[in-house]
Amino acid sequence: MKVESVDDGFRIFIHNCYSDSVNFHNKVEIEDSIRNILEKICHNYRIKLKGFYRVKIYPNNIGTFLEVIKIDDDNYDGCEIDFRIVVVFNKEMYLKVENYDYISEYDSLYLEGFYYVNLENITNYFQMSDFGEVVSSDLINFEKSVFIQKNKTC
């Protein structure tokens, strides 16, 4: 699991081995699972949530990427929390790294000083997870990126 703080919230990547399988087509199950996950994360990382949050969920065959952004907290007292949950299907997830040496065995994209490898192509995510961050494909401008084919040995 990886938690990263951003301006008005945080991003979380949960590998499938850390979470029970969630039926992302069942609204009640999604809401219950996400609330449980966020409660555990907030407790373990000492994050205090109060207010209204948009939670974008990107399920993937390797894991689930959550983007939790605070929208409002003016109308909430004490520990009140409200979520607007959006599940985004069919988005590719990428590992974004600065150093090419970490991902040289994979085909990748290069854009503005970073290399991007599709998570589905990474054979052992645990070895790679500390070298970069997980991002959704909608954060990558594919038209401006350069494709880099993996290093080939002779």
Side-chain angles (χ1 to χ4, degrees), residues 12 45 52 66 69 77 81 91 98 103 122 124 134 140:
I12 305 164
Y45 288 87
F52 181 54
L66 304 174
I69 304 296
D77 295 326
I81 302 170
K91 287 285 183 185
E98 285 187 79
I103 51 101
I122 296 176
N124 191 342
V134 176
I140 303 170

Side-chain angles (χ1 to χ4, degrees), residues 14 16-17 21 23 25 29 38 42 48 54-55 59 69 77 95 97 101 110 113 115 120 124 130 134 144:
I14 305 164
N16 282 341
C17 71
S21 60
N23 179 359
H25 298 287
E29 187 175 334
L38 289 176
C42 290
K48 293 185 180 185
R54 179 187 70 226
V55 180
I69 304 296
D77 295 326
L95 180 67
V97 298
D101 293 336
Y110 178 78
Y115 299 91
E120 293 184 11
N124 191 342
D130 290 337
V134 176
K144 292 185 177 182

Side-chain angles (χ1 to χ4, degrees), residues 69-93:
I69 304 296
K70 182 182 269 190
I71 296 174
D72 181 30
D73 66 356
D74 293 337
N75 299 324
Y76 293 85
D77 295 326
C79 299
E80 291 181 344
I81 302 170
D82 194 9
F83 297 117
R84 177 177 179 256
I85 297 175
V86 178
V87 180
V88 181
F89 292 104
N90 300 325
K91 287 285 183 185
E92 291 181 329
M93 303 304 292

Side-chain angles (χ1 to χ4, degrees), residues 134-146:
V134 176
V135 296
S136 170
S137 60
D138 54 351
L139 299 176
I140 303 170
N141 185 342
F142 289 98
E143 293 176 3
K144 292 185 177 182
S145 65
V146 176

